[in-house]
Amino acid sequence: MDIGIIGSGKMGTGLGRLWAKHGHHVMFSYSRRPEKLEKLVLEIGSHARSGTPRDAVSFANVLFLAVPWLEVQDALSAAGAMNGKTLITCVNPFGPRALEVGLNTSAAEEISRLVPNAAVVEAFNTIFATLLHSRAHLFGRNMPPVFYWGDDRHAKSTAAELIRDAGLHPVDAGALESA
């Protein structure tokens, strides 16, 4: 699978490394330091590359959004149209005033309004990035659960596959409105 990662902080790089080790091709994008992206590509090897968010959209059939809430609009604007793409987001809606979206919606629902032609799935927002960077990925033989939400069956299936490929246990938590 070709995965475009928009946001190359701890979540994006952690999952990108795991997916590349599992044989997926990843493109890292949206970093304040482009040299960081090049270093990642050299470290990971032939299954990784870097580019702009727009490059990531062109490259990938699946996108992973891993930016702070306050950067969502900028990142999505830089990415451009995502027609027909699956967009997995781990974004939590926290900003300077704590919860930024209120209690009647979720970050994933708000993101889906910004990219209406993409199939949005919320996942990985309930785990810590340090788990992804740890060699002690499993708890004994148990895989940590990752909840995911979405409205598109195919996009949810793709998300579940990528959760498993990261060495985690996917748990379908329902529709996007439950995120």
Side-chain angles (χ1 to χ4, degrees), residues 7 15 41 49 54 61 70 73 77 90 94-95 97 151 162:
L15 285 166
V41 169
R49 58 182 70 173
R54 200 167 299 269
N61 49 344
L70 297 177
Q73 287 198 3
S77 177
C90 70
F94 296 110
R97 301 179 311 230
D151 296 332
L162 289 174

Side-chain angles (χ1 to χ4, degrees), residues 86-111:
T86 294
L87 174 65
I88 301 170
T89 172
C90 70
V91 176
N92 284 313
F94 296 110
R97 301 179 311 230
L99 190 60
E100 294 283 323
V101 298
L103 301 174
N104 296 323
T105 187
S106 68
E109 287 178 288
E110 296 303 313
I111 290 167

Side-chain angles (χ1 to χ4, degrees), residues 9-174:
K10 291 181 182 178
M11 288 298 287
T13 60
L15 285 166
R17 280 186 182 105
L18 292 171
W19 289 330
K21 282 182 186 176
H22 200 79
H24 297 290
H25 292 93
V26 298
M27 178 179 279
F28 295 100
S29 71
Y30 200 76
S31 175
R32 288 178 291 227
R33 296 186 345 254
E35 67 276 3
K36 173 186 175 183
L37 300 180
E38 290 306 316
K39 183 179 175 189
L40 266 172
V41 169
L42 289 172
E43 175 188 317
I44 293 170
S46 65
H47 282 85
R49 58 182 70 173
S50 66
T52 67
R54 200 167 299 269
D55 294 336
V57 171
S58 295
F59 164 80
N61 49 344
V62 177
L63 299 158
F64 181 64
L65 181 64
V67 299
W69 174 251
L70 297 177
E71 294 179 28
V72 165
Q73 287 198 3
D74 183 62
L76 292 177
S77 177
M82 297 183 185
N83 299 340
K85 304 282 182 167
T86 294
L87 174 65
I88 301 170
T89 172
C90 70
V91 176
N92 284 313
F94 296 110
R97 301 179 311 230
L99 190 60
E100 294 283 323
V101 298
L103 301 174
N104 296 323
T105 187
S106 68
E109 287 178 288
E110 296 303 313
I111 290 167
S112 72
R113 288 181 187 97
L114 296 171
V115 288
N117 295 321
V120 176
V121 176
E122 177 78 57
F124 300 104
N125 67 322
T126 60
I127 64 170
F128 292 104
T130 53
L131 177 69
L132 303 173
H133 293 273
S134 169
R135 290 186 187 269
H137 209 74
L138 302 177
F139 301 108
R141 290 190 300 204
N142 298 317
M143 295 185 298
V146 171
F147 299 97
Y148 64 99
W149 300 262
D151 296 332
D152 182 283
R153 187 177 348 176
H154 175 71
K156 286 176 74 172
S157 175
T158 299
E161 179 183 346
L162 289 174
I163 292 167
R164 278 189 292 277
D165 289 350
L168 303 162
H169 177 71
V171 178
D172 187 338

